[in-house]
Amino acid sequence: MKLKKIEAAAIKVRETFPHLLCPICGEQLTEQSLSMICVNSHQFDFAKNGSLHLLTKPIKTKYTKELFEARHTLMSEAEFFKPVINEVITHLKRRDSGVILDAGCGEGTHLAQMIEGLSGLAGIGIDLAKDGIQTAARYYGEPIWITADLANAPVQSGTVDVILNILSPANYREFTRLLKKDGEVVKVVPGAGYLKELRSHYFGDQYKNDDTVSAFYEHFNIEKKIPVHVTQVLDQKAISALVDMTPLSWHAAPEKTASFKSLNQTEMTLDIEILIGRKK
């Protein structure tokens, strides 16, 4: 008999990653009857969709359900980011076991695609945005999906083999704490040409990643750099999804977003650098 999502998630946490901590008192959580409970009786129940909420108070973000649905359309249906995911999978294939934690997983497509392409590795997706985790749990059953604060992650020190951090803010001190001695961080940063067609339409400028890269260098020894530069053709549905999912649109004039969404087709540049780092 097929397990319900909530039952499958509880088993996954119990068997593959029993290293979660209570966000209230910091004690270890153990799985009991589809809930996570600590020695001080703080209890966190698995949702019906299998996700786990480990925030002590509601957090408002600008990342909405609509944004995450648009991101799912662009990343899963249009596979806009697949060239990057494929490069990361190729790098990680030498690992035949372990845990990958996606720090800032959003709606989960990146992590789900990686877990599908890697055998023997378990995935955990953590994001501050509840709507992102709910979207991830709805579409993908395999990784463990957790709403939590990555600045103070409810995860035991030294229990993670790989941390993914894809186009999202990073807390490198926390990453260092979470990683095993031989663990690694896979940091994905945008290059100068990333979404240059959209950025040019909105603002007439290009992106610079100098600050992001230098901060990474301060905390980790760089093992490898993998450039990805691909120009893809997006159809109208993918264009609309891109406009709706990118924070760039928050700062653009409404007439600029509307005119770009009206395009039937456009080229779009995926200019990415994948940084592989280990603890110093």
Side-chain angles (χ1 to χ4, degrees):
M1 187 173 68
K2 188 176 180 180
L3 292 174
K4 294 179 180 178
K5 279 188 172 184
I6 187 172
E7 296 168 336
I11 291 171
K12 274 185 290 188
V13 171
R14 185 172 70 240
E15 295 184 352
T16 66
F17 198 73
H19 306 300
L20 298 177
L21 302 177
C22 175
I24 299 173
C25 65
E27 295 290 343
Q28 184 169 358
L29 292 170
T30 57
E31 192 275 321
Q32 301 176 38
S33 304
L34 306 182
S35 296
M36 299 299 292
I37 304 174
C38 73
V39 293
N40 294 315
S41 299
H42 298 130
Q43 180 172 326
F44 303 87
D45 301 330
F46 285 92
K48 286 183 179 179
N49 62 20
S51 65
L52 190 60
H53 191 81
L54 296 182
L55 283 177
T56 56
K57 58 184 179 181
I59 303 290
K60 280 193 172 185
T61 78
K62 294 179 74 173
Y63 291 85
T64 63
K65 179 182 177 182
E66 292 73 23
L67 181 148
F68 289 118
E69 287 290 346
R71 177 171 158 176
H72 180 265
T73 297
L74 185 69
M75 300 306 179
S76 180
E77 295 182 25
E79 295 191 324
F80 179 66
F81 226 70
K82 203 70 191 317
V84 178
I85 303 304
N86 289 341
E87 289 287 353
V88 177
I89 288 173
T90 298
H91 171 74
L92 293 178
K93 274 192 172 174
R94 58 196 172 78
R95 290 182 177 269
D96 55 9
S97 64
V99 171
I100 303 175
L101 189 155
D102 188 347
C105 66
E107 43 67 64
T109 299
H110 300 329
L111 180 60
Q113 289 178 343
M114 285 185 198
I115 293 301
E116 187 179 356
L118 296 164
S119 58
L121 277 81
I124 302 169
I126 297 182
D127 204 285
L128 189 63
K130 183 178 179 180
D131 284 330
I133 293 298
Q134 294 301 303
T135 306
R138 184 163 64 255
Y139 285 112
Y140 307 111
E142 186 53 41
I144 298 164
W145 302 113
I146 302 172
T147 309
D149 183 2
L150 284 161
N152 187 22
V155 175
Q156 287 180 336
S157 300
T159 57
V160 175
D161 298 277
V162 179
I163 293 178
L164 297 176
N165 188 236
I166 301 176
L167 302 183
S168 64
N171 189 311
Y172 294 133
R173 192 164 294 170
E174 271 293 88
F175 290 1
T176 301
R177 179 184 72 80
L178 294 172
L179 281 176
K180 293 180 180 178
K181 187 173 288 188
D182 64 341
E184 60 188 319
V185 176
V186 179
K187 173 73 175 174
V188 175
V189 297
Y194 181 63
L195 305 184
K196 66 180 183 181
E197 295 84 358
L198 182 64
R199 187 179 287 276
S200 176
H201 182 82
Y202 281 174
F203 314 118
D205 65 1
Q206 285 192 319
Y207 174 77
K208 292 184 178 180
N209 66 6
D210 300 357
D211 292 342
T212 301
V213 172
S214 62
F216 188 83
Y217 281 29
E218 286 175 18
H219 290 83
F220 301 98
N221 292 317
I222 302 297
E223 182 181 273
K224 188 188 293 186
K225 295 191 239 180
I226 306 170
V228 179
H229 195 287
V230 182
T231 300
Q232 303 177 47
V233 177
L234 302 183
D235 62 15
Q236 203 282 322
K237 185 177 181 181
I239 292 168
S240 181
L242 172 63
V243 170
D244 289 343
M245 64 79 68
T246 177
L248 288 174
S249 297
W250 299 346
H251 310 291
E255 60 271 19
K256 292 284 190 180
T257 60
S259 61
F260 204 85
K261 284 180 83 168
S262 70
L263 297 174
N264 291 319
Q265 183 175 290
T266 187
E267 289 189 340
M268 190 59 57
T269 300
L270 185 63
D271 181 15
I272 291 293
E273 188 170 41
I274 304 168
L275 306 175
I276 312 294
R278 293 186 180 273
K279 289 199 287 188
K280 288 189 172 181

